[in-house]
């Protein structure tokens, strides 16, 4: 159905290791999964594996590695008309652009990704993309828009019980509250706690 169970285990393990502060081990697992995905003949399996492993590279600060592997997803999605994976590749690319200092272009790409995800009804990574978009808006000098975006994402996560992404959404909301022209320290502290 599009994903080698072995790479699924590696992707989950890489993410869990990173989230549990075993950054080096998480990065190693992500790189192993990426190497395994490179051997796939099936573009769907390769795209899915990379979509779940690239964020670990981003979290570890390997923006060059993340960008290189994101390009593989972009190419495969275009070549095989995999619209949902194109949307996710735009989100990954936009997030990398924001992280590398090009917030304006990153925001444009993230906004396009959100629209494409909605059009394709592919919402698996919508919360992570919304968080990246909110951070990008704040970095681009539009903290008010970033605050609206992150508040909507956090509210949605709470409503549907998506507790996996909620801590990161609250972290981003706290940081955006501090980036406002008049920082809301009390609300930011509440989010961060």
């Amino acid at each position: 159905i599009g994903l080698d169970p072995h790479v699924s285990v590696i992707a989950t393990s890489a993410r869990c290791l990173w989230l549990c502060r075993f950054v080096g081990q998480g990065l190693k697992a992500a790189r192993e999964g990426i190497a395994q995905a490179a051997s796939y003949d099936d573009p769907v399996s390769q795209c899915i594996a990379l979509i779940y492993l690239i964020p670990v590279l981003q979290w570890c600060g390997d923006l060059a590695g993340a960008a290189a592997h994101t390009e593989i997803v972009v190419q495969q999605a275009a070549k095989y008309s995999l619209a949902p994976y194109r949307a996710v590749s735009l989100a990954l690319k936009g997030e990398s652009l924001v992280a590398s200092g090009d917030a304006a272009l990153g925001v444009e790409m993230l906004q396009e990704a959100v629209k494409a995800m909605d059009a394709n009804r592919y919402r698996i990574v919508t919360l992570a993309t919304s968080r990246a978009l909110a951070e990008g808006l704040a970095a681009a000098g539009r903290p008010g828009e970033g605050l609206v975006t992150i508040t909507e994402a956090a509210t949605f996560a709470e409503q549907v019980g998506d507790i996996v992404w909620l801590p990161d959404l609250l972290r981003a909301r706290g940081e955006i509250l501090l980036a406002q022209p008049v920082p809301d320290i009390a609300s930011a502290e509440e989010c961060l706690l």
Side-chain angles (χ1 to χ4, degrees):
I1 59 173
L3 182 60
D4 178 334
H6 179 71
V7 171
S8 179
V9 169
I10 291 173
T12 301
S13 176
R15 287 169 167 257
C16 288
L17 286 164
W18 188 90
L19 290 168
C20 291
R21 300 184 187 162
F22 297 106
V23 175
Q25 292 175 26
L27 183 58
K28 181 181 177 194
R31 288 186 173 144
E32 287 174 11
I34 288 169
Q36 178 74 29
S39 69
Y40 291 164
D41 291 331
D42 175 27
V44 172
S45 295
Q46 187 178 40
C47 285
I48 291 172
L50 291 175
I51 284 167
Y52 286 101
L53 291 164
I54 290 168
V56 178
L57 299 180
Q58 290 174 329
W59 300 340
C60 292
D62 182 4
L63 299 181
H69 295 294
T70 298
E71 282 305 314
I72 294 169
V73 179
V74 169
Q75 292 167 6
Q76 295 287 63
K79 183 176 181 179
Y80 295 102
S81 301
L82 303 171
Y85 306 135
R86 179 188 174 277
V88 177
S89 70
L90 286 174
L92 292 168
K93 203 170 185 177
E95 187 168 0
S96 287
L97 285 167
V98 170
S100 64
D102 193 347
L105 183 57
V107 164
E108 285 180 34
M109 206 164 280
L110 287 160
Q111 288 172 328
E112 185 180 343
V114 168
K115 287 179 187 172
M117 286 178 200
D118 284 346
N120 289 293
R121 297 177 187 230
Y122 190 84
R123 296 185 175 97
I124 294 172
V125 295
T126 301
L127 289 174
T129 303
S130 294
R131 188 252 328 130
L133 175 58
E135 290 176 327
L137 287 164
R142 298 159 56 187
E145 292 175 67
L147 185 58
V148 169
T149 301
I150 199 66
T151 300
E152 288 174 355
T155 300
F156 179 75
E158 288 173 341
Q159 288 173 345
V160 299
D162 194 342
I163 60 170
V164 172
W165 291 111
L166 191 56
D168 200 32
L169 295 170
L170 292 173
R171 176 208 47 84
R173 186 170 191 273
E175 291 177 2
I176 292 168
L177 284 164
L178 292 173
Q180 299 296 307
V182 178
D184 185 345
I185 295 171
S187 295
E189 181 179 27
E190 182 181 326
C191 287
L192 294 171
L193 289 174

